[in-house]
Amino acid sequence: MAVEYNGTTGTADAGYSSRVSNLNIFYDTGHMAFITLSAVLVLLMIPGVGFFYSGLARRKSALQLVLLSMLSVAVVGFQWFFWGYSLAFSRTGNAFLGDLSQFGLMKTIGQPNGSSAMPDILFCLYQGMFASITPALAIGAVADRGRMLPAIVFIFVWSTIVYDPIAYWTWNANGWLSKLPSYDFAGGGPVHIASGSCALAYSLMLGKRTGYSGTGGLPYRPHSVTNVVLGTVFLWVGWFGFNGGSALSINIRAIMACYVTNLAAACAGITWVLLDYRLERKWSTIGFCSGAISGLVAITPAAGFVAPWAALVIGVCGGLCCNFATKLKFLTGVDDALDIFAVHGIGGMVGNILTGIFGASYIAGLDGNTYPPIGWVDRHWVQLGNQLAGVLAAFTWSFVMTCLILFLMNLVPGLSLRVSADDEDVGIDDCQLGEFAYDYVELTRHVADTTTTVSERHASSDASTAANEKALPPIISAA
């Protein structure tokens, strides 16, 4: 058993005020191992985002999305060390934002933070992965038309001005949403609503892609369904660390969070497939993957508060709402290329709201602590209003500030957001990276394969085959 921490608390401190030579005596190695593994699982999710987005995009812009997801780890990794962690999780600060008492991770070693089960530096590592994946989710909005340099600069600025304050409001004990309280177990507001509304704003500021139709989008198919499935697998596996690790120690609550996460994803995947089947009479692989992600998003704020039966309802509602939300871009005229707002923005809202309905104190108490009544299940009717406050705060702050950041950046020489029309036609991978996801790039199929009927494509293929056969020399039989 670990010894109860006896050093200074409530202020930034390295952890040595207890005057012990071995800080490890204050922590259980099992808890620390679990959170470290959870951090690694969240890191695994970030290339999963890249593969998922890359598969949905056109071949000529596929590599950019993978690269930007990994650059998010690098840029936010520095930002989190520099001042991000201090702004979001310093022990002192007002109701809106933390201070710089832990700037550059000074005095950030062995004092508990987040929970008594982990030292400050471990909490910093784990939360840093959340900070890294959030802009990676949002930056998919640049698909097919956004420049790299502004996107990289934007990740740093947005993490500082948007993500850190929302994370502080939600998870820091001094934050105004935490004091309300508005419950958010693993990031429905700071991660999903913030990234979804950011993607909506980025898409709006970039403008529509060339050839975009207000009723049909762009006439092309996702270039690699296999990459979409691969990205979904990475995300689904990593979400066990994302939600389970948010219990901040290994206990029954963490296990319950993992179980309801899996259940919600499964139910949402089935829901989305059936919704698509009713229209197309086809069993859609991409539909299943999109549905599973929507269920994972919706259960995120509720994972540590709801029973399995409620997770089933949340999964179905998440898949249903996010599926219909994919049509919003045609109503608003915003070219959200990868439906990031529909899945993450709307999914996060659904999860946050349903937490106010299905949240139960006896589920939260599975970590060994005592909690007041949470949601309508506990007859705590006012909680729904608190949850709505969290939803509106996260959406409004992220959307407005993203528009403002991008507007100002676009005025700076060298930071124009969008590539030229010629570069867009050639492809982002060619003009911005000089590298390709594959060893060849098709310049015509991304449009032509969907502007003809199936029978016309087959006829064209048959004619091409016949022409090739005529051009070949006759085969001489060995007999």
Side-chain angles (χ1 to χ4, degrees):
M1 296 293 292
V3 176
E4 183 178 357
Y5 182 77
N6 62 1
T8 299
T9 58
T11 58
D13 180 78
Y16 289 103
S17 54
S18 57
R19 302 301 180 190
V20 298
S21 59
N22 182 12
L23 291 172
N24 295 285
I25 64 174
F26 299 123
Y27 302 102
D28 183 277
T29 54
H31 291 317
M32 291 197 293
F34 173 66
I35 300 302
T36 302
L37 176 61
S38 295
V40 173
L41 287 173
V42 179
L43 175 61
L44 179 68
M45 295 172 69
I46 300 176
V49 171
F51 280 116
F52 187 86
Y53 286 170
S54 172
L56 290 175
R58 283 186 279 187
R59 180 181 284 105
K60 64 182 183 178
S61 302
L63 189 60
Q64 179 200 28
L65 298 174
V66 178
L67 176 59
L68 278 174
S69 69
M70 298 310 299
L71 281 171
S72 179
V73 181
V75 173
V76 178
F78 169 74
Q79 187 269 354
W80 198 243
F81 155 80
F82 187 68
W83 58 22
Y85 180 65
S86 188
L87 292 174
F89 290 104
S90 63
R91 296 173 180 83
T92 50
N94 53 38
F96 184 78
L97 189 63
D99 55 28
L100 295 179
S101 60
Q102 292 175 262
F103 175 83
L105 295 192
M106 63 181 178
K107 300 179 180 179
T108 305
I109 301 177
Q111 185 178 351
N113 200 357
S115 83
S116 60
M118 69 176 77
D120 215 349
I121 192 64
L122 178 55
F123 188 60
C124 174
L125 171 69
Y126 182 61
Q127 287 294 340
M129 297 305 167
F130 281 67
S132 296
I133 195 174
T134 304
L137 292 170
I139 208 65
V142 307
D144 293 324
R145 61 206 192 274
R147 293 179 63 230
M148 289 291 296
L149 178 60
I152 294 170
V153 174
F154 174 79
I155 288 173
F156 184 92
V157 176
W158 187 87
S159 295
T160 302
I161 296 177
V162 178
Y163 177 80
D164 292 343
I166 299 177
Y168 182 88
W169 305 344
T170 306
W171 290 321
N172 195 301
N174 298 318
W176 69 273
L177 283 177
S178 178
K179 290 181 176 180
L180 197 56
S182 178
Y183 293 106
D184 190 332
F185 187 67
V191 177
H192 296 297
I193 297 176
S195 64
S197 51
C198 171
L200 182 67
Y202 211 130
S203 300
L204 175 65
M205 298 301 288
L206 275 176
K208 298 176 183 178
R209 290 165 290 174
T210 303
Y212 184 85
S213 164
T215 57
L218 271 181
Y220 74 92
R221 299 174 298 180
H223 93 275
S224 177
V225 179
T226 303
N227 276 4
V228 174
V229 175
L230 180 64
T232 303
V233 171
F234 279 19
L235 285 164
W236 198 327
V237 171
W239 230 289
F240 284 87
F242 195 85
N243 286 356
S246 292
L248 303 182
S249 61
I250 181 62
N251 49 51
I252 299 176
R253 189 186 190 189
I255 297 168
M256 178 63 80
C258 290
Y259 182 81
V260 298
T261 295
N262 188 70
L263 179 62
C267 294
I270 294 170
T271 300
W272 196 300
V273 164
L274 294 177
L275 287 171
D276 283 0
Y277 183 81
R278 90 190 195 283
L279 298 175
E280 304 291 341
R281 291 297 185 268
K282 301 288 185 182
W283 298 96
S284 172
T285 305
I286 289 179
F288 175 78
C289 292
S290 299
I293 299 303
S294 69
L296 292 166
V297 170
I299 196 62
T300 291
F305 302 110
V306 299
W309 66 267
L312 187 152
V313 177
I314 290 173
V316 172
C317 290
L320 186 70
C321 293
C322 292
N323 180 281
F324 286 116
T326 59
K327 309 302 186 291
L328 289 175
K329 61 187 176 185
F330 302 122
L331 296 176
T332 61
V334 177
D335 182 11
D336 184 3
L338 306 178
D339 288 320
I340 301 170
F341 177 71
V343 174
H344 293 277
I346 299 298
M349 293 177 188
V350 169
N352 266 29
I353 291 169
L354 293 182
T355 299
I357 296 176
F358 298 118
S361 57
Y362 77 94
I363 294 295
L366 293 175
D367 62 3
N369 297 312
T370 302
Y371 293 85
I374 294 176
W376 285 11
V377 169
D378 290 336
R379 301 180 184 275
H380 188 231
W381 314 114
V382 74
Q383 189 58 47
L384 183 60
N386 294 347
Q387 297 302 116
L388 286 171
V391 168
L392 291 174
F395 173 80
T396 304
W397 182 257
S398 180
F399 184 82
V400 172
M401 294 308 298
T402 299
C403 289
L404 180 60
I405 293 167
L406 291 173
F407 175 77
L408 295 175
M409 283 180 53
N410 202 45
L411 299 177
V412 177
L415 290 183
S416 57
L417 303 177
R418 185 163 177 160
V419 299
S420 66
D422 289 340
D423 285 345
E424 183 179 346
D425 185 58
V426 170
I428 305 300
D429 290 354
D430 192 353
C431 69
Q432 290 283 296
L433 275 62
E435 299 171 331
F436 306 97
Y438 309 96
D439 60 353
Y440 68 97
V441 177
E442 288 184 284
L443 297 177
T444 57
R445 177 174 172 267
H446 62 277
V447 171
D449 65 354
T450 56
T451 56
T452 59
T453 65
V454 174
S455 59
E456 288 173 338
R457 290 199 298 272
H458 285 173
S460 176
S461 177
D462 293 341
S464 177
T465 301
N468 289 337
E469 288 176 349
K470 289 181 180 179
L472 291 174
I475 299 176
I476 300 175
S477 171

